[in-house]
Amino acid sequence: MSIDIPTLALCRGLLLMLLSALLWFSMRYDRDVSGPGFWALGFALNGLAILTFLFDQPYLVPILNLTNHLATGLACCALLFGFWRFNLQPPQWGVLGVIAILPLIGLLISNDLGRNALLRVLFTASAQLVFYLALLQLLLKPFRAEIGQLFGWLRVLITLFLVFFAWQYGQIGARYLELQVDTPNVLYSGIFGIVSLMFTLTFAIACIALQLVRISAGFADSAMTDWLTGLLNRRGLSMLAEQDDARRHRDDSTSAVICFDIDHFKLVNDRFGHPAGDQVLKMLGSVIRSNIRGHDIAARQGGEEFSVVLVGGDESQAIQVAERIRQDFSTRSLSLGLALEEKLTVSAGVVQVVRDRTILQALDAADIALYAAKRAGRNRVVAASSLASASGR
């Protein structure tokens, strides 16, 4: 069985370069290019490493071997670092250091760069193994639900490839230890070359698919996000409100809703213009974010009206959060330097979501409580339950 190793190397190298270019092209449509940018660099370096197998001139062999091993280690570092950035995880510098150093150790130990020393190959293969194992661990925790399935497929793909990887480098290890190996060298190298070609293509396509999924998810996020404050808009609020309705019915739990409105906001726009009004709106959005938990829901419903859903919260917790936001906003608004007779304030209405109501229905009740706060003199928090008690007297 004859397998043309240089032709396989040429196909793999050119394919990696092409896929690197495709990743660079896809980055034009992504707001956060850091992760895929390192993927593109990693594929380009891997392609460079593979293309060194095309040359066999004796005077080039030392520099080609040096390039192959160093580029392979750096490619693994770039790919892994890119996945950490893509998945919003802090990089593990120790792991990257091990991957980068192992090929260097192999080069230092094997001082004859003029031939393909088995020990040098095994050190570089060890760096690749660390890369694959670290990547498998990373893929267990996707940062978004949309990429979870692709991460699962990648784990299966890498696991299957590691079987052939262990077979290939197990044969090389056996040769280094001078053990008897029945399979001809050209055969297992050729088979591994074909498997590597298929793996490279599938792995790179998966990376491009991850990039496209994230771009698509980013567009979906933009459609649900208020451009000025970064909070959800009405569409995003409605979508997450439905999810919380389903959660409450499933777990038989509670949530609470707060509606905010900036007092006398029209005076700010009339006296200082809409840019000043935008600064006030952004400040309230920032104050709300800093006073709620990560899994709570915050939205700008339109104009100067904002709403918060305290997931799993009750009315007393909502009153405390609303009071913190009211006081914090009143204090921080002074930093805007607007020459108003009175400092900026907000009014709020609070309601606990009862079991037979939806979040959107609760928002209507909180809105009624909000305007009761306006009628009572503004700059205060009113609970819907207090209105029910007053009407019952």
Side-chain angles (χ1 to χ4, degrees), residues 12 27 30 41 122 147 150 197 232 255 271 276 298 327 336 339 358 374:
R12 285 183 62 193
M27 287 160 50
D30 191 6
L41 175 62
L122 291 174
I147 65 173
L150 274 173
L197 177 63
L232 294 172
S255 284
R271 289 185 58 180
Q327 295 171 16
L336 295 174
T358 65
K374 294 279 192 181

Side-chain angles (χ1 to χ4, degrees), residues 211-233:
Q211 172 73 335
L212 295 177
V213 168
R214 187 172 72 169
I215 292 172
S216 176
F219 287 145
D221 289 345
S222 298
M224 297 192 301
T225 303
D226 174 57
W227 67 272
L228 181 63
T229 63
L231 302 180
L232 294 172
N233 56 22

Side-chain angles (χ1 to χ4, degrees), residues 21 54 102-103 143 281 360:
L54 296 178
L102 280 173
F143 80 102
L281 293 171
L360 295 183

Side-chain angles (χ1 to χ4, degrees), residues 44-111:
L45 286 170
N46 206 348
L48 175 64
I50 296 298
L51 290 175
T52 60
F53 289 109
L54 296 178
F55 306 95
D56 57 2
Q57 290 84 352
Y59 64 91
L60 288 178
V61 169
I63 189 64
L64 291 174
N65 279 336
L66 183 67
T67 302
N68 175 273
H69 291 278
L70 291 181
T72 298
L74 292 175
C76 291
C77 289
L79 287 167
L80 187 58
F81 186 80
F83 268 97
W84 276 321
R85 294 295 295 268
F86 177 86
N87 205 40
L88 305 181
Q89 292 179 252
Q92 298 179 24
W93 299 108
V95 174
L96 292 176
V98 169
I99 294 173
I101 289 174
L102 280 173
L104 285 173
I105 295 176
L107 290 168
L108 292 173
I109 292 177
S110 177
N111 53 17

Side-chain angles (χ1 to χ4, degrees), residues 118-119 122 166-183 188:
L118 297 179
L119 187 60
L122 291 174
W167 178 58
Q168 161 78 358
Y169 290 102
Q171 298 271 8
I172 294 176
R175 288 177 57 202
Y176 176 73
L177 296 174
E178 298 182 349
L179 300 177
Q180 181 66 34
V181 179
D182 295 331
T183 310
Y188 70 73

Side-chain angles (χ1 to χ4, degrees), residues 75-387:
C76 291
C77 289
L79 287 167
L80 187 58
F81 186 80
F83 268 97
W84 276 321
R85 294 295 295 268
F86 177 86
N87 205 40
L88 305 181
Q89 292 179 252
Q92 298 179 24
W93 299 108
V95 174
L96 292 176
V98 169
I99 294 173
I101 289 174
L102 280 173
L104 285 173
I105 295 176
L107 290 168
L108 292 173
I109 292 177
S110 177
N111 53 17
D112 183 5
L113 292 177
R115 61 189 181 90
N116 192 19
L118 297 179
L119 187 60
R120 186 170 65 244
V121 172
L122 291 174
F123 267 94
T124 300
S126 299
Q128 292 175 287
L129 180 60
V130 173
F131 160 70
Y132 288 124
L133 294 177
L135 186 55
L136 283 173
Q137 182 66 28
L138 180 152
L139 294 173
L140 290 172
K141 300 177 180 179
F143 80 102
R144 295 188 66 121
E146 296 94 331
I147 65 173
Q149 189 173 30
L150 274 173
F151 270 26
W153 289 344
L154 268 176
R155 289 200 305 272
V156 172
L157 175 68
I158 293 170
T159 302
L160 291 175
F161 176 71
L162 283 176
V163 174
F164 290 92
F165 184 89
W167 178 58
Q168 161 78 358
Y169 290 102
Q171 298 271 8
I172 294 176
R175 288 177 57 202
Y176 176 73
L177 296 174
E178 298 182 349
L179 300 177
Q180 181 66 34
V181 179
D182 295 331
T183 310
N185 180 52
V186 66
L187 177 59
Y188 70 73
S189 295
I191 293 175
F192 183 70
I194 294 172
V195 172
S196 296
L197 177 63
M198 296 170 60
F199 171 76
T200 297
L201 177 61
T202 309
F203 183 77
I205 290 175
C207 288
I208 295 173
L210 284 170
Q211 172 73 335
L212 295 177
V213 168
R214 187 172 72 169
I215 292 172
S216 176
F219 287 145
D221 289 345
S222 298
M224 297 192 301
T225 303
D226 174 57
W227 67 272
L228 181 63
T229 63
L231 302 180
L232 294 172
N233 56 22
R234 292 182 66 90
R235 178 182 178 184
L237 174 63
S238 297
M239 182 174 295
L240 293 190
E242 291 180 1
Q243 295 178 12
D244 191 63
D245 289 336
R247 180 198 62 81
R248 286 185 296 103
H249 283 91
R250 183 197 65 205
D251 300 339
D252 193 21
S253 59
T254 64
S255 284
V257 169
I258 312 170
C259 283
F260 294 96
D261 188 273
I262 301 174
D263 299 325
H264 302 300
F265 180 71
K266 187 174 182 299
L267 291 178
V268 176
N269 282 334
D270 291 345
R271 289 185 58 180
F272 305 102
H274 288 283
D278 289 347
Q279 291 300 313
V280 173
L281 293 171
K282 287 197 289 186
M283 174 168 284
L284 180 54
S286 175
V287 169
I288 289 174
R289 271 197 302 270
S290 64
N291 281 282
I292 62 175
R293 301 161 300 181
H295 61 274
D296 291 329
I297 303 168
R300 179 188 172 202
Q301 291 188 269
E304 66 271 29
E305 296 184 11
F306 293 73
S307 59
V308 170
V309 179
L310 296 181
V311 177
D314 56 26
E315 183 180 87
S316 64
Q317 293 171 329
I319 292 173
Q320 294 174 11
V321 171
E323 283 289 355
R324 286 203 309 268
I325 292 172
R326 182 186 67 82
Q327 295 171 16
D328 195 6
F329 175 75
S330 182
T331 300
R332 290 176 58 179
S333 64
L334 296 174
S335 64
L336 295 174
L338 301 178
L340 294 168
E341 288 78 8
E342 299 181 1
K343 62 183 178 182
L344 285 169
T345 59
V346 293
S347 299
V350 171
V351 66
Q352 180 168 321
V353 187
V354 296
R355 184 173 183 180
D356 59 343
R357 285 196 175 187
T358 65
I359 294 292
L360 295 183
Q361 290 171 333
L363 283 169
D364 291 336
D367 203 47
I368 294 173
L370 165 64
Y371 283 97
K374 294 279 192 181
R375 290 192 300 271
R378 297 183 172 85
N379 191 25
R380 66 193 64 215
V381 176
V382 171
S385 60
S386 66
L387 299 179

